[in-house]
C-alpha cells in the first residue's frame, strides 16, 4: 500500500475512534427508542382519570379511542395516553371536575400554565388538561371543529419518561 493512501485512512480512523471515546455516552443515549415500552403504554392508556369527565361531556367525534403510544427524541423516551372531550359547559366546570377527580386519584396539583390549562403530578407521571382552541386544532391537523371550540372542548393527557430518572413535572 502506498503511504499517500494510508495516512488519510489512519487519520479518519483516529478521528472516528477519538469522537467515539469522547461522545460514547451521548451516542448510546441517542440510540434509545421505544422498544420494550408496550406494557407501560397499556398502563398509561388504562389510567382511570382519562375516562373521568364531567356530566354532559362526550367523547369527541374522531377521538373515540384512547390515543396512546411512545415517542423517543434526543435520548428521551416518553409514553403517553390521552382522551379528547367535547363539553357544552364552561372551562371552570371542567377545571372543578378534574381538581376533584385528580385529588381522589392521588394526583397532586402542579403548576397551572398561563392559558388556564391544568396540570397534576403523580409518581413519575404528569397529567394535563388542555382546553382546545380553533388554532390548536388547526396546528394538529384537525381543522375547524365547532364541537370542540364552543363550550369547553378539552383533552386529558398523561405522560411519563421511561428509564431516564427524570421527575414528572408541569
Amino acid at each position: 500500500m502506498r503511504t499517500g493512501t494510508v495516512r488519510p485512512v489512519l487519520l479518519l480512523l483516529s478521528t472516528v475512534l477519538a469522537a467515539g471515546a469522547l461522545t460514547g455516552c451521548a451516542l448510546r443515549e441517542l440510540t434509545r427508542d421505544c422498544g420494550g415500552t408496550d406494557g407501560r403504554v397499556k398502563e398509561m392508556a388504562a389510567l382511570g382519570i382519562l375516562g373521568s369527565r364531567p356530566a354532559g361531556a362526550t367523547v369527541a367525534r374522531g377521538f373515540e379511542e384512547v390515543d396512546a403510544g411512545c415517542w423517543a427524541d434526543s435520548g428521551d423516551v416518553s409514553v403517553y395516553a390521552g382522551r379528547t372531550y367535547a363539553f357544552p359547559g364552561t372551562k371552570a366546570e371542567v377545571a372543578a371536575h378534574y381538581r376533584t377527580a385528580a385529588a381522589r386519584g392521588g394526583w397532586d396539583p402542579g403548576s397551572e400554565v398561563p392559558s388556564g390549562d391544568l396540570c397534576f403530578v403523580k409518581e413519575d407521571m404528569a397529567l394535563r388538561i388542555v382546553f382546545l382552541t380553533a388554532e390548536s386544532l388547526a396546528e394538529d391537523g384537525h381543522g375547524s371543529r365547532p364541537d370542540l371550540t364552543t363550550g369547553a372542548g378539552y383533552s386529558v393527557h398523561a405522560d411519563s419518561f421511561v428509564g431516564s430518572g427524570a421527575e414528572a413535572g408541569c
Side-chain angles (χ1 to χ4, degrees):
M1 211 181 251
R2 294 186 1 228
T3 305
T5 307
V6 173
R7 283 191 183 150
V9 171
L10 287 176
L11 182 60
L12 176 64
L13 286 174
S14 299
T15 304
V16 169
L17 289 174
L22 293 173
T23 63
C25 248
L27 290 175
R28 274 195 303 275
E29 288 299 310
L30 288 174
T31 62
R32 292 180 60 187
D33 62 16
C34 289
T37 62
D38 291 346
R40 183 69 175 142
V41 169
K42 287 179 184 174
E43 287 175 21
M44 295 292 286
L47 289 172
I49 193 86
L50 297 178
S52 177
R53 59 187 181 208
T58 58
V59 174
R61 180 179 35 82
F63 295 92
E64 291 81 6
E65 302 296 321
V66 172
D67 176 26
C70 174
W71 60 263
D73 184 31
S74 301
D76 291 326
V77 177
S78 178
V79 294
Y80 64 88
R83 298 296 310 248
T84 300
Y85 295 100
F87 183 62
T90 66
K91 290 180 182 181
E93 291 171 299
V94 172
H97 171 82
Y98 282 101
R99 284 187 182 105
T100 301
R104 266 192 248 133
W107 295 86
D108 295 319
S111 56
E112 286 192 34
V113 292
S115 65
D117 297 338
L118 303 171
C119 188
F120 303 91
V121 293
K122 179 179 179 179
E123 299 163 2
D124 64 345
M125 299 177 287
L127 176 74
R128 291 173 184 80
I129 289 70
V130 177
F131 295 98
L132 303 174
T133 64
E135 293 81 20
S136 66
L137 288 165
E139 286 174 12
D140 290 339
H142 296 294
S144 176
R145 293 289 303 265
D147 59 323
L148 295 175
T149 55
T150 55
Y154 66 94
S155 67
V156 181
H157 183 91
D159 60 25
S160 175
F161 287 103
V162 176
S164 70
E167 288 188 28
C170 299

